[in-house]
Amino acid sequence: MNEGMTVIADNDFRAWGTLLRRNPIIVDHAHLRTILAGKRVLVTGAGGWIGSALTKALAAHDPAHLVLVDASEHALYEIDRAMRERDDAPPHTSVLGNICDRLTMADIFVRHVPQIVYHAAAYKHVPLMERNPFAAVQNNALGTYTLAQVAADCRTEQLIMISTDKAADPVSIMGASKRLAELVLMAGAADHVKWKALRLGNVIGSHGSVVPLFAQQIARGGPVTVTHRHARRYFLTTQEAVECLLLAASGDFGTAILVPELGEPVLIEDIARHMLAQLSSSRAAPVPIVYTGLRTGDKMVEALLATHESITASSSFLRVVDSSAIPSDLLHRTLRELGSCCRNCDADELLRLMLRAIPEYQPSELLLHPHTTVLERVPTA
C-alpha cells in the first residue's frame, strides 16, 4: 500500500484538509473526560463504522461501564473482540439485540441502567432503502421511538442520536425516516432526559461512503463512477464525527438538533480527482471518470438545514438548530399507524402517513408509484 493509500485508509484529516477548505474539528478531551468518566454508557449499532469508532473513543474516557448493542452478530463480535484486546478497556457488556424489540431493550436498560445512550443503529443506504421503505421506517423511526420510550422509563440522563443531513427537506425514505426520528426526540417523551440529534454529512471511509468505493475502483483501473458533475456533499472524517458525538454530551446542550461546522459542501467529482491524484499516479494509463446520473433518492446538493430552519446558538464546533415540530398527539398517533402499515406492507398508507408527519418530504417516483415498481415487501420484525 503506497503512502497516499495509507493516509486515506487511516482517514487522516491531513489527506483532506485542503479539499474540505476548513479547519479540523478538535475538541477538549480533558473536559469531555469530566463528563463521561464514571458514567454508564450504552451504544446502539456499536459494531457499525461510526458505532465502533465511538465505542473505542468512549473507552478512553473512563466510563464505569459500556453496554454495546448490535443486531449484527458479526459486527458485535468484532467490536467485542477489539474491546477485549485493549489493555485499558473499561468493563463492557455486548448484547445481540434489535432496537425494535421493546422487551429486549427494556431488559437491557433495567439490567444496566445506562445514564448516557448513543444511538448509532440505523439503516443508511439511500437507494437500498427506497426499495425497502418498510424496513427504513421500522428501524430508523419506530426503532428510535421504542428506544426513546424505554430510555424515558428508565430515567436515562441523555440520549444522543446520529442523524443525517438527508433529514433536512428529505427526498428519500431514509432521510424522511431519520427526520421522523428527530421529531420523536424533539417531542421530549420525558423532561428529565436531554434528547439530542446530531446531523452528520458523508463520513469519509464509512460503509457506503464514496471514498472506499473510489479507492476500489482506482485499484481496479477504473472507471471511477460519479453521479453528477454538480453533485455536492458535506464531508467529515470518522475522527471528526466521533469528536462531535463526544462533544454533544456536553452540558452546553439541552434537548436539541445539532449540526457541526462543516464549511461548504464539496463536489463529489473533486473528491474523485483528489483521490486519483494520490492513488493512480503510477499507472501507465489514466483512470477515467464516468458520470452515472443521480440515483433514486439522491439530491444534487445536500444541506444541513431545511428551508424552514435556522441556527439559534453555537458552542465550539456544534450549532443548535431552530426546527419545527408537530403536535405530540399527532406524532404518537402517526407512529402507531406507521407500525400497523409496516406490518401490513401497505406502501400507499406508509407514504400518506410520512407526508402527514413531514409535509416537506418530496418522495421519489419509486415511492409515489409503488405498484408499478418493485418494492421489497418483507418488513423487519
Side-chain angles (χ1 to χ4, degrees):
M1 184 180 290
N2 62 41
E3 183 178 354
M5 179 65 88
T6 301
V7 172
I8 288 175
D10 288 345
N11 199 14
D12 195 319
F13 188 88
R14 292 172 300 172
W16 306 100
T18 55
L19 185 66
L20 302 184
R21 296 185 293 277
R22 60 174 174 78
N23 293 323
I25 296 173
I26 302 173
V27 301
D28 181 356
H29 284 270
H31 172 62
L32 291 176
R33 191 166 285 107
T34 65
I35 298 167
L36 297 167
K39 295 288 187 179
R40 299 180 300 277
V41 184
L42 183 148
V43 182
T44 72
W49 182 272
I50 298 179
S52 59
L54 173 63
T55 295
K56 293 169 186 175
L58 286 167
H61 287 78
D62 302 321
H65 194 91
L66 286 177
V67 182
L68 314 180
V69 179
D70 206 293
S72 165
E73 180 188 25
H74 175 72
L76 187 66
Y77 166 76
E78 290 293 333
I79 187 59
D80 181 77
R81 184 166 64 95
M83 292 297 292
R84 291 181 186 282
E85 290 176 352
R86 290 177 65 116
D87 293 333
D88 61 342
H92 78 278
T93 303
S94 297
V95 183
L96 189 62
N98 192 312
I99 58 169
C100 298
D101 184 342
R102 185 185 179 93
L103 291 178
T104 297
M105 290 300 106
D107 180 68
I108 292 170
F109 273 73
V110 168
R111 286 175 182 271
H112 301 287
V113 197
Q115 296 161 285
I116 299 174
V117 176
Y118 278 105
H119 179 28
Y123 291 150
K124 307 177 182 70
H125 296 278
V126 170
L128 188 60
M129 290 304 101
E130 289 297 292
R131 301 192 300 274
N132 292 270
F134 308 109
V137 171
Q138 179 75 44
N139 191 72
N140 293 354
L142 300 181
T144 298
Y145 184 45
T146 295
L147 187 69
Q149 289 179 312
V150 174
D153 290 344
C154 293
R155 305 196 64 81
T156 297
E157 294 175 8
Q158 56 179 313
L159 188 153
I160 303 162
M161 180 187 77
I162 300 177
S163 189
T164 170
D165 50 7
K166 294 171 178 61
D169 292 332
V171 300
S172 66
I173 192 66
M174 192 284 277
S177 68
K178 292 298 284 185
R179 174 57 182 160
L180 187 53
E182 290 181 351
L183 291 172
V184 166
L185 298 189
M186 294 309 103
D191 292 337
H192 59 269
V193 184
K194 293 180 180 178
W195 309 97
K196 304 171 186 180
L198 174 64
R199 286 183 190 163
L200 297 177
N202 190 306
V203 179
I204 293 171
S206 65
H207 304 307
S209 167
V210 296
V211 170
L213 173 63
F214 287 168
Q216 292 168 10
Q217 291 174 336
I218 293 168
R220 293 196 303 260
V224 172
T225 55
V226 175
T227 56
H228 196 284
R229 290 180 183 273
H230 303 303
R232 294 174 179 267
R233 300 288 182 268
Y234 287 97
F235 288 89
L236 71 166
T237 67
T238 303
Q239 180 59 39
E240 289 182 308
V242 169
E243 300 272 82
C244 288
L245 285 163
L246 295 175
L247 183 61
S250 167
D252 295 339
F253 310 106
T255 293
I257 295 173
L258 305 170
V259 295
E261 296 275 6
L262 296 179
E264 296 297 322
V266 177
L267 283 168
I268 297 176
E269 180 181 0
D270 285 350
I271 294 285
R273 295 194 182 282
H274 180 76
M275 293 181 65
L276 283 167
Q278 293 191 57
L279 305 182
S280 68
S281 58
S282 61
R283 290 188 172 272
V287 176
I289 292 178
V290 173
Y291 301 94
T292 58
L294 292 177
R295 306 167 305 172
T296 301
D298 270 347
K299 287 181 184 178
M300 186 68 76
V301 181
E302 293 289 358
L304 288 167
L305 298 177
T307 52
H308 65 272
E309 294 177 333
S310 60
I311 298 299
T312 61
S314 295
S315 178
S316 187
F317 289 96
L318 297 182
R319 301 175 294 170
V320 178
V321 178
D322 180 14
S323 185
S324 62
I326 63 174
S328 178
D329 59 341
L330 176 60
L331 174 65
H332 293 297
R333 185 169 76 250
T334 300
L335 290 162
R336 288 193 300 271
E337 292 172 356
L338 278 169
S340 177
C341 84
C342 283
R343 288 189 294 273
N344 296 327
C345 298
D346 187 338
D348 293 329
E349 180 68 357
L350 180 90
L351 185 57
R352 185 186 73 80
L353 292 169
M354 293 299 288
L355 286 169
R356 185 173 77 184
I358 312 165
E360 69 271 23
Y361 171 35
Q362 299 178 45
S364 69
E365 286 296 311
L366 196 61
L367 273 293
L368 283 171
H369 305 289
H371 302 295
T372 59
T373 54
V374 178
L375 291 183
E376 297 299 330
R377 297 288 175 164
V378 181
T380 54

